[in-house]
Amino acid sequence: MSTLLVRTRPASPMPRPPPRARFLLSTWLLALLLGTPSASASPGHFAADAPLRRTDPRDTNAEGPRAPHDPRSALSLRDDTTSAASPDGTRLPGMSGVPVPSAPEDLPLSTGAWVAHGGLALLPLGGVWGATRVGGDTRLGATASETAAGMLAGYLPSRLLFLRPTTPGGGRWADLEVAAFGGGLLFTPPLAALGTWGMGELAFGRSQDQTDAYLGALGGAAAGTLLAAAVDGLLSKLAEPSTRLKSARALIGLALIGAGATLGYQWAGGGPRSNQHTR
């Protein structure tokens, strides 16, 4: 058996690029390797990796010009904040920018105001004396006691009559103030009349007509209530802007209510029964 010998031809070597092409290829590969990190990383990536830094105005290394620190401005700011807040740290009503009306000053009254207060204070005293002239009961002590009882019974609701607006100038009434004043007009006369009528009937002898006596006391108390509100308003107008004698004005008005109730009680009731002793 013959051996077949095959003669292979050696492969020809690959053609080598020219020197200029090899130089360009090497340069391109080197540039690609060096530029890969810079191309894959964006500016935002490096900004996210960098730690955040807050600029402190007190930091001397912070960039930018700084205004000189004035200790007097900080002190004045602290004083303003302290004066605007209450001792417990709460905000006061005037801190929202709305001006708070100042309290009226307690100034001395003029001579005319003093004369008006004194003259109108004699008016309820005259009513007590006049009650002894209209009903047949001439006892001054009885009519004075009936007036005092009417004042005591109508004291609480009568306080609503002497309210004044809290807005600056005193010329504007709030809804609550109007409602309170109306309540005073509504509840003061019946209570004052009940006090006067009860004192007269229980302590100084029953009147000749008890029903008419109470109705007369009610009418007199209603008239006295209107007069008291008018007198208080007049005296308050004369005394502005002072608050002197505020309690005295309320007492004068309350005495007018009690005196009116006594006058009506004695006039409509006809005094005690004819068989009772009066003096």
Side-chain angles (χ1 to χ4, degrees), residues 121-132:
L122 298 176
L123 191 58
L125 297 179
V128 173
W129 178 83
T132 62

Side-chain angles (χ1 to χ4, degrees), residues 5 12 26 48 55 67 84 97 119 130 243 253 255:
L5 297 177
S12 61
S26 301
T55 303
T243 58

Side-chain angles (χ1 to χ4, degrees), residues 41-56:
S42 61
H45 175 74
F46 291 111
D49 292 341
L52 296 178
R53 181 180 181 184
R54 180 177 296 176
T55 303
D56 192 352

